[in-house]
Amino acid sequence: MPVSESSPNGAPTATTERRASGSQTVSTVERAADVLVLFAESDSPTLGVTEIADRLGTSKAAVHRILASLRSRDLIHLDEDSRRYSLGTTAMRLGAAYQEHMDVRQVAAPDLRSLSRLTGETTTLSVRAGDARVYIDQVTPRREVIMTVPLGVRYPLHAGSSSKAFLAFLPEAEREAYLAREPLSSLTGETVVDTYELRAELERIREAGHATSYGERQAGAASAAAPILDHRSEPVAVMSVCGPRERFLEEAEACAQALVQTTRRLSERLGFRG
């Protein structure tokens, strides 16, 4: 026999009260999550109650209750002098834990495969290793003539598109420190080793959002590469599309556009908001 939702005199039963309570709890959790997301996406590190209420379209009383709850777990911090709020230490710990447990190879793998299918070329993933970078993954297309890369081999940060994509988006102090350690080695006759010329190219790479290379790391090869950036706007990895030079010349622009769209999505997953 079905359970009645109300008593004979119309009063709510325990069942309806539990459902109402559960719905209210979900709503409260959603509003608290909205507050945290607002802090994460705000250009200002601090927010006031009125700002939060206006942006979320809720009352200041409701915001006060949510902030009080979040403060109890150190997710939000209140500056007693300014009466403004900022993210608390627990929120910082959550972000650090996410970064610490993030496996960029695992995260990028589906996009690496999709990008290879879309472009019909080999796609690669590199990570930095001090003054060098190494390939840690690649996906090759189903076609007769393809490019392949050696995994785990160290390459300098100025030779080839993946290397230049790292170097261009490093913090300025790190980038200049690397360029000061001359002489830069030449892997092929196309490798750019003049620091003045390289600085100008790195500036163009930052403006375009991606780097290109035609025979700079390996003769006969060509590639485009773009960084995967974290919440500090620093590169945690670089993804590239590469192929035989003659063929790649015709498809370089399309490959670069697809590549930048892919790395932008991955960067956003890592907290990049540039």
Side-chain angles (χ1 to χ4, degrees), residues 27-213:
S27 178
T28 301
V29 171
E30 290 175 343
R31 289 200 299 268
D34 288 341
V35 170
L36 290 173
V37 171
L38 180 61
F39 274 96
E41 296 182 344
S42 174
D43 293 332
S44 172
T46 65
L47 293 171
V49 171
T50 301
E51 291 174 84
I52 298 171
D54 289 345
R55 294 191 192 183
L56 297 183
T58 189
S59 68
K60 289 193 284 186
V63 171
H64 272 296
R65 289 194 297 270
I66 293 169
L67 291 172
S69 178
L70 294 174
R71 285 181 63 198
S72 70
R73 295 294 186 271
D74 288 328
L75 287 163
I76 291 293
H77 171 73
L78 171 64
D79 185 298
E80 297 290 351
D81 294 328
S82 67
R83 305 304 297 176
R84 292 179 66 82
Y85 295 82
S86 60
L87 288 175
T89 55
T90 300
M92 304 301 181
R93 285 165 49 206
L94 287 172
Y98 176 78
Q99 293 292 331
E100 183 179 347
H101 294 100
M102 174 65 70
D103 183 345
V104 67
R105 184 176 182 273
Q106 182 179 9
V107 170
D111 290 286
L112 206 64
R113 292 191 294 268
S114 297
L115 188 60
S116 180
R117 287 194 298 268
L118 178 63
T119 61
E121 297 291 2
T122 297
T123 53
T124 75
L125 186 71
S126 298
V127 295
R128 185 182 175 192
D131 278 355
R133 57 97 189 170
V134 298
Y135 292 111
I136 60 171
D137 201 2
Q138 69 177 317
V139 175
T140 56
R142 294 182 178 179
R143 58 193 309 175
E144 186 174 349
V145 180
I146 63 172
M147 289 294 304
T148 60
V149 300
L151 302 184
V153 176
R154 295 167 62 93
Y155 293 102
L157 286 180
H158 63 277
S161 65
S162 291
S163 291
K164 291 186 297 183
F166 260 119
L167 190 58
F169 288 90
L170 287 179
E172 183 178 3
E174 291 186 49
R175 183 170 61 251
E176 288 302 317
Y178 178 88
L179 294 174
R181 292 192 277 275
E182 296 188 84
L184 300 178
S185 59
S186 179
L187 301 188
T188 73
E190 301 295 330
T191 306
V192 179
V193 295
D194 180 87
T195 55
Y196 293 100
E197 181 182 350
L198 186 55
R199 281 190 179 91
E201 183 171 0
L202 295 176
E203 178 63 30
R204 291 193 295 270
I205 291 170
R206 286 192 294 275
E207 293 177 357
H210 70 276
T212 56
S213 169

Side-chain angles (χ1 to χ4, degrees), residues 220-259:
S223 62
I228 300 172
L229 304 172
D230 64 12
H231 63 287
R232 298 167 298 183
S233 300
E234 296 181 9
V236 295
V238 164
M239 187 176 286
S240 81
V241 180
C242 59
R245 179 170 182 162
E246 295 304 317
R247 187 173 72 208
F248 198 82
L249 282 169
E250 300 179 358
E251 55 192 28
E253 184 176 351
C255 287
Q257 289 178 357
L259 171 69

Side-chain angles (χ1 to χ4, degrees), residues 74 130 214 272:
D74 288 328
Y214 294 94
F272 175 69

